[in-house]
Amino acid sequence: MKKSIKRIIAVCIAVVLVGTVFAACSSNGEGKSEANGAYKIGIAQWEDHPALNDATEGFKKALQDKLGEDKVEFEYNTAQGEVTNCSTIVNRYATNKVDLIMANATPVVQAAVSATKEIPIVGTSVTEYGVALGIDNFTGKTGTNVTGTSDLAPLDQQAAMIKEIAPETKTVGIIYCSGEPNSKYQATEVTKYLSELGITATEYPFADSNELQAIVSKAVSENDAIYVPTDNTAAKNTGIIDAVARPAKKPVFAGEEGIAKGCGIVTLTISYYDIGYTAGEMAAEILSNGTNPAEMEIGYAPKFTKKYNTEICKELGINVPNDYVAIDTAE
């Protein structure tokens, strides 16, 4: 009898101890792990690319600045440009109940939204959230667990840049990946602005990198100039675009610096580090103050810079105004 009582007591103590261990590893309801008092942040990035890398670094730095380096734990994964990988990554974050998901680029934001409706999602490097999330009459707030920052530069000014640098241009071919809805949005908007300037624009969408060379060749043969918006697939394959456009002496105008560095002559660009940092500040506000992402306005870059590719401009004999800054092509 005494042995039975001792066994019961031992079992009870074991249960209590196990419960204590699980409690120590669980959330305390305020978004922090009780084990070390740090917020757990799951970072999902579309692919390894300089612009996206800069956004991630800015995001991490802002959270460390705002909350303290010992108060945030980051888990980083890249989808390597594959949609299925996006889903795998963010679903794991949702299952592990991270405190916040940072989604870097449109496909990742879309996957994160499908994975969770409760965990806050802060996006960055997304051109237009209304388009990405299928929100009609978008007014700047998603009304959901998503907020973040946009990488959109003023498209009317980008169109005006084409007229400024190449005033004789009559036709422009717009090259973008058909699988990226934000690229289609930019193409449509730039077409409107170019039309107002007396320039005819034609869209040349491509499905993937395998057909990019053929599409670029067609666009180059049929137009005076090329425009490439902020497009992840194009950014990863600027060498293909350059190999066709440069020998044909056709200037490529780019939606962001990375594309201009690889194949373009000029761009009106943003700092991806800056929009990443702003996204990090928004994440800190959500975590520390309990701000609702649904009520947070999408953030935009604080400044835009005109930049030019010295090598390609020189080869094509293009002179740029003094207010353009040379792109560092050393790397």
Side-chain angles (χ1 to χ4, degrees):
M1 185 72 174
K2 290 181 179 179
K3 289 183 179 180
S4 298
I5 294 173
K6 286 181 180 180
R7 283 198 193 95
I8 293 171
I9 293 173
V11 170
C12 290
I13 292 172
V15 170
V16 171
L17 289 174
V18 170
T20 302
V21 170
F22 276 102
C25 294
S26 67
S27 170
N28 62 10
E30 297 177 354
K32 290 185 182 180
S33 164
E34 289 182 356
N36 58 10
Y39 294 105
K40 296 185 181 298
I41 315 297
I43 297 177
Q45 183 172 308
W46 173 240
E47 62 186 349
D48 182 17
H49 180 269
L52 302 185
N53 294 344
D54 286 348
T56 292
E57 289 307 309
F59 176 83
K60 292 167 66 177
K61 184 64 166 62
L63 274 172
Q64 290 169 340
D65 287 347
K66 296 295 180 181
L67 303 180
E69 292 187 17
D70 61 335
K71 296 300 181 182
V72 286
E73 289 183 358
F74 300 109
E75 180 179 347
Y76 168 85
N77 287 280
T78 173
Q80 300 177 331
E82 296 290 341
V83 172
T84 53
N85 291 342
C86 289
S87 298
T88 300
I89 293 166
V90 295
N91 281 328
R92 186 171 71 250
Y93 289 161
T95 299
N96 293 341
K97 299 190 185 318
V98 297
D99 297 308
L100 182 139
I101 294 174
M102 188 278 234
N104 193 346
T106 300
V108 190
V109 170
Q110 293 170 329
V113 169
S114 297
T116 178
K117 297 295 187 291
E118 290 79 34
I119 297 173
I121 299 167
V122 176
T124 191
S125 311
V126 176
T127 303
E128 172 57 50
Y129 282 79
V131 173
L133 301 179
I135 303 173
D136 295 329
N137 303 315
F138 181 63
T139 59
K141 299 177 183 178
T142 68
T144 68
N145 60 321
V146 182
T147 189
T149 55
S150 167
D151 62 0
L152 181 66
L155 297 176
D156 57 339
Q157 294 181 39
Q158 291 200 353
M161 182 177 285
I162 297 176
K163 191 73 172 179
E164 177 184 39
I165 299 297
E168 301 303 316
T169 298
K170 299 299 181 184
T171 56
V172 172
I174 303 177
I175 297 172
Y176 65 93
C177 179
S178 57
E180 299 189 34
N182 277 311
S183 298
K184 167 61 178 173
Y185 167 79
Q186 292 173 80
T188 300
E189 293 299 304
V190 167
T191 296
K192 295 176 185 176
Y193 293 124
L194 288 173
S195 178
E196 294 173 0
L197 297 173
I199 298 174
T200 300
T202 304
E203 296 182 15
Y204 293 83
F206 62 93
D208 54 44
S209 59
N210 294 323
E211 64 178 47
L212 178 56
Q213 183 174 357
I215 292 295
V216 175
S217 297
K218 179 175 174 60
V220 164
S221 67
E222 296 175 351
N223 295 276
D224 301 324
I226 301 298
Y227 174 76
V228 182
T230 55
D231 182 283
N232 291 306
T233 309
K236 192 176 181 179
N237 294 280
T238 54
I240 296 175
I241 300 172
D242 187 52
V244 176
R246 199 190 311 197
K249 304 297 183 183
K250 296 295 176 73
V252 176
F253 295 83
E256 56 94 7
E257 183 174 347
I259 295 174
K261 184 175 181 178
C263 66
I265 57 167
V266 295
T267 184
L268 178 67
T269 192
I270 65 167
S271 164
Y272 277 80
Y273 183 90
D274 286 350
I275 63 169
Y277 194 94
T278 299
E281 291 178 318
M282 298 169 80
E285 185 72 18
I286 292 167
L287 294 170
S288 62
N289 296 331
T291 304
N292 186 351
E295 300 173 357
M296 300 178 75
E297 292 274 357
I298 297 301
Y300 293 86
K303 60 182 179 180
F304 309 97
T305 306
K306 292 181 176 180
K307 292 194 172 186
Y308 72 103
N309 185 316
T310 55
E311 178 186 332
I312 300 179
C313 283
K314 181 179 180 180
E315 188 169 331
L316 299 187
I318 294 173
N319 296 315
V320 299
N322 293 331
D323 58 340
Y324 282 72
V325 178
I327 295 172
D328 182 6
T329 57
E331 297 179 1

